[in-house]
Amino acid sequence: MKKYYYPVFIFLTGVFAAQVCFSILVYFSNQSLYQTLQLLRDAGYLIVPNAHVMPGLQKWMPALCGGLFFSMTIGAGLSLITLLTAVLWLRYFQRFRASLIFLVAGTLFFFAFQFNFAPGLTLSCVIPAGIVFYVSVRCFSYAGLPFPLLRVGAVHLASIAAIAAVWAPVADEDIFVAIRDNLLLTHPVGRSINDFYYKYTLYPAETFKSLNQKLLKSCHITDADSAVSPALIRLLVKEDYLPVKEKSGVDLIVHHNDGRLTFQQENKVIDTCRFAEFQKDPEEILAAISQKTDDTAFLRRITFLSLIGASPLLCYLLLHVAVMTGIFFIPSPAARFAAAAVLCVAVFSLPAVLFSHQKPEDIDKKDIVRFLASDHSRDRVLALKAISEQDLTISHYGDPEKLVQGSLTREQTVERYWLAKSLAGDRSQASYDLILRLLDDPQPNVACMAFYSLGQQSRFRNSNRTKNEILRRITSRDHWYVQWYAYKALKRLGWTQTPPRE
């Protein structure tokens, strides 16, 4: 019977190994971010994350929680690929001992090449893969190939295919939002998972961001032409490349001499251009520099592929083992295995039914009032989505104040979230005041959407009051994700950092 547990045991081994490796990687990424933020704070810039979050970058807990994101995605993906590789090697190449040397060397070179030979990134992928390969070979050698591996794989494959077929009609670009709205934010356990994700997700995200994807970047300027220096600083600051006096440890070094700019990281020259060219399109040139220094593009790709492929498979295997253990009263191992697979298909397919409803873009404008007045939360949320996606003015269809009060009374987080987002297209003073209230909503997702909506209202580009409201909350809120949205709103309203005076 225990042979049926080998696949999930191998997966969990890979997940645990990835948890250890990527937690260490996230920890050192946090240390690097801490040093950058310290440089910027000492230079007088506004920093995100702020002083409330910044001390956590030096602790292990955020790194461990951030590593969980990678272990559940890349860890699962590496485990799947390595398990299949181990089976093929045992079946076809085991008698050729030299093949193992080529396999190990090829894997090491592949990851090293993809990560531009960055040792931390390379080892974080190679070590879990090596451990999974070793455990797979030991397990399958002990069980004897073929043990019921073909039947086990066939049943799992058929179950996953059935689940995929149920989900296919509702799977689109908004599927993750739908899962959050319908499965996570509707009950206490789901809200706890959602809050955990949004509290810690930016720590691992910083690990694989390119230079341009980072919110704030430190830079050092050496300028032989003092007349050009202020213009160069303004251009860099507008793109959030913030000049500091220190040269060591900055994200980018910019040399200006005789009308020519040279961009470096440490002692490595990345790119050069004329200052006149940089003035015309600094965003494009900095994007090119970011691309040339991007060591983590492959990590982002495999993380996303693992998220949509391997992570659901891992959840399925964990549930399958739990169910198979729970139905111990079925005497036949094969029957118990098959019954657990059927139950897993039912459990994973059921949520798809929640998503089988009318699309927001299909709602006619004249029906929005009726949907907003409905007694069913799903109808009200659908109307709010329609207002947001069709760029309508919410106050034409109902009183936003009553909607938010109703959602607070019913503890409907999803309603407040979409209400906050639907206010982006409303230019009334009442809606503006409501947005300011929602900025302080205790639920981070709602506050984030309120900042988003405020940033969309271009009529406040010259409003010092609006910018001050956002600035006050950036420095006072203790949630990194909320601060991130607030900073983006500031930028959309035309605000830029103030360069320090010499």
Side-chain angles (χ1 to χ4, degrees), residues 165-304:
V166 174
W167 276 88
V170 297
D172 55 26
E173 66 275 9
D174 295 326
I175 187 62
F176 294 112
V177 174
I179 290 173
R180 182 201 63 199
D181 289 353
N182 293 280
L183 297 183
L184 297 182
L185 293 179
T186 54
H187 56 88
V189 175
R191 284 194 290 271
S192 296
I193 295 172
N194 176 82
D195 292 346
F196 179 88
Y197 174 83
Y198 282 101
K199 182 176 181 179
Y200 291 109
T201 188
L202 288 180
Y203 294 96
E206 284 292 323
T207 305
F208 57 40
K209 283 183 178 180
S210 66
L211 198 56
N212 257 20
Q213 290 174 329
K214 294 179 181 294
L215 193 66
L216 304 175
K217 287 81 62 174
S218 61
C219 69
H220 175 80
I221 301 174
T222 59
D223 196 345
D225 188 347
S226 58
V228 172
S229 184
L232 178 59
I233 291 174
R234 282 195 300 272
L235 292 172
L236 289 168
V237 168
K238 186 177 180 182
E239 302 299 326
D240 284 319
Y241 284 79
L242 308 178
V244 296
K245 293 181 180 179
E246 293 79 0
K247 188 175 182 179
S248 176
V250 297
D251 295 308
L252 193 65
I253 299 172
V254 184
H255 297 285
H256 177 255
N257 189 22
D258 194 24
R260 191 163 196 83
L261 298 178
T262 302
F263 301 93
Q264 290 183 208
Q265 277 191 339
E266 299 298 335
N267 295 321
K268 181 182 178 182
V269 175
I270 306 302
D271 203 355
T272 62
C273 69
R274 303 292 300 178
F275 177 65
E277 297 173 12
F278 187 74
Q279 280 184 301
K280 290 180 181 178
D281 198 346
E283 185 176 353
E284 181 179 353
I285 292 173
L286 291 171
I289 293 170
S290 174
Q291 186 175 8
K292 291 177 182 179
T293 58
D294 186 7
D295 296 334
T296 55
F298 181 68
L299 184 64
R300 293 194 296 275
R301 285 196 294 271
I302 61 176
T303 300
F304 177 74

Side-chain angles (χ1 to χ4, degrees), residues 382-402:
L382 195 60
L384 292 170
K385 286 183 179 180
I387 291 170
S388 176
E389 294 183 11
Q390 296 180 32
D391 197 24
L392 304 176
T393 301
I394 186 172
S395 56
H396 292 171
Y397 301 93
D399 185 356
E401 180 66 35
K402 290 182 179 179

Side-chain angles (χ1 to χ4, degrees), residues 3 7 12 36 50 62 72 108 130 134 145 150 156 170 176 185 198 213 244 246 251 254-255 257 322 370 495:
K3 296 177 182 179
L12 288 178
T36 298
N50 64 17
M72 296 294 289
L108 184 61
Y134 173 78
L145 274 176
L150 183 60
H156 283 324
V170 297
F176 294 112
L185 293 179
Y198 282 101
Q213 290 174 329
V244 296
E246 293 79 0
D251 295 308
V254 184
H255 297 285
N257 189 22
R370 177 170 57 83
W495 178 89

Side-chain angles (χ1 to χ4, degrees), residues 33-190:
L33 177 59
Y34 183 88
Q35 297 301 323
T36 298
L37 292 173
Q38 198 170 40
L39 283 176
L40 298 177
R41 182 185 62 183
D42 293 345
Y45 294 107
L46 175 71
I47 59 170
V48 173
N50 64 17
H52 295 291
V53 178
M54 189 175 165
L57 294 169
Q58 295 191 300
K59 299 177 181 178
W60 272 102
M61 181 55 71
L64 292 171
C65 295
L68 187 63
F69 171 79
F70 284 121
S71 65
M72 296 294 289
T73 54
I74 297 177
L78 288 173
S79 298
L80 174 62
I81 298 298
T82 307
L83 187 153
L84 296 176
T85 303
V87 171
L88 291 174
W89 185 81
L90 284 170
R91 183 68 178 85
Y92 298 106
F93 302 103
Q94 185 179 10
R95 61 184 178 274
F96 304 111
R97 294 296 180 180
S99 64
L100 185 59
I101 298 175
F102 284 109
L103 180 62
V104 173
T107 301
L108 184 61
F109 179 78
F110 172 79
F111 282 108
F113 178 77
Q114 292 292 338
F115 296 133
N116 291 331
F117 298 93
L121 293 170
T122 302
L123 292 175
S124 294
C125 290
V126 170
I127 291 176
I131 292 174
V132 170
F133 186 86
Y134 173 78
V135 172
S136 299
V137 169
R138 289 297 300 269
C139 286
F140 294 144
S141 296
Y142 170 77
L145 274 176
F147 78 94
L149 184 62
L150 183 60
R151 282 179 298 170
V152 168
V155 171
H156 283 324
L157 187 62
S159 300
I160 293 166
I163 295 170
V166 174
W167 276 88
V170 297
D172 55 26
E173 66 275 9
D174 295 326
I175 187 62
F176 294 112
V177 174
I179 290 173
R180 182 201 63 199
D181 289 353
N182 293 280
L183 297 183
L184 297 182
L185 293 179
T186 54
H187 56 88
V189 175

